Amino acid sequence: MNPWSVAKDRRIKRLLIDLQAALGPGAVELLPSRLDVDEAVTLCRPGEPALAAFVFVYGQAEGRYGVHLSYPHPDPAVAEGGEDLTLARLVELLAIHFDGVTVLAES
């Protein structure tokens, strides 16, 4: 995925670059859902669209993120997201959510 080719807010493009650095190229892919929202993106682990993460910057302070996690089989005991997350915390949540994705670099 080339973050600069995505028609999104600059903060989302920056996030995509940071995620590639932290998780590695190809660790996550963009889903076409919610492409109409400039300040958000839906990510999944390649080939697993039911296990997704909707990440957004609208309503968040600069350098902070919100996320809603989608599961193929929702479990009420598992948190489904959060807001006002630092990049480091977002990367940590995504690595856990996409079980098996390794954090390569400190964010």
Side-chain angles (χ1 to χ4, degrees):
M1 137 186 66
N2 177 359
W4 297 115
S5 67
V6 180
K8 295 288 182 178
D9 181 276
R10 67 168 176 76
R11 296 171 294 171
I12 291 294
K13 290 180 182 187
R14 178 79 245 167
L15 171 65
L16 294 174
I17 291 167
D18 291 340
L19 289 178
Q20 281 186 348
L23 302 174
V28 295
E29 66 184 20
L30 294 175
L31 287 177
S33 61
R34 302 311 310 239
L35 285 177
D36 58 328
V37 181
D38 289 343
E39 296 175 312
V41 67
T42 304
L43 306 169
C44 74
R45 190 162 62 178
E48 296 184 44
L51 186 67
F54 179 73
V55 182
F56 55 94
V57 294
Y58 54 80
Q60 307 301 304
E62 188 68 31
R64 298 294 180 140
Y65 305 93
V67 65
H68 175 78
L69 305 172
S70 299
Y71 298 88
H73 307 288
D75 179 347
V78 177
E80 291 186 5
E83 292 193 37
D84 195 34
L85 303 171
T86 64
L87 177 60
R89 181 65 179 139
L90 177 63
V91 167
E92 181 183 329
L93 286 175
L94 292 176
I96 292 167
H97 182 62
F98 296 134
D99 185 37
V101 173
T102 304
V103 177
L104 300 177
E106 285 296 315
S107 336

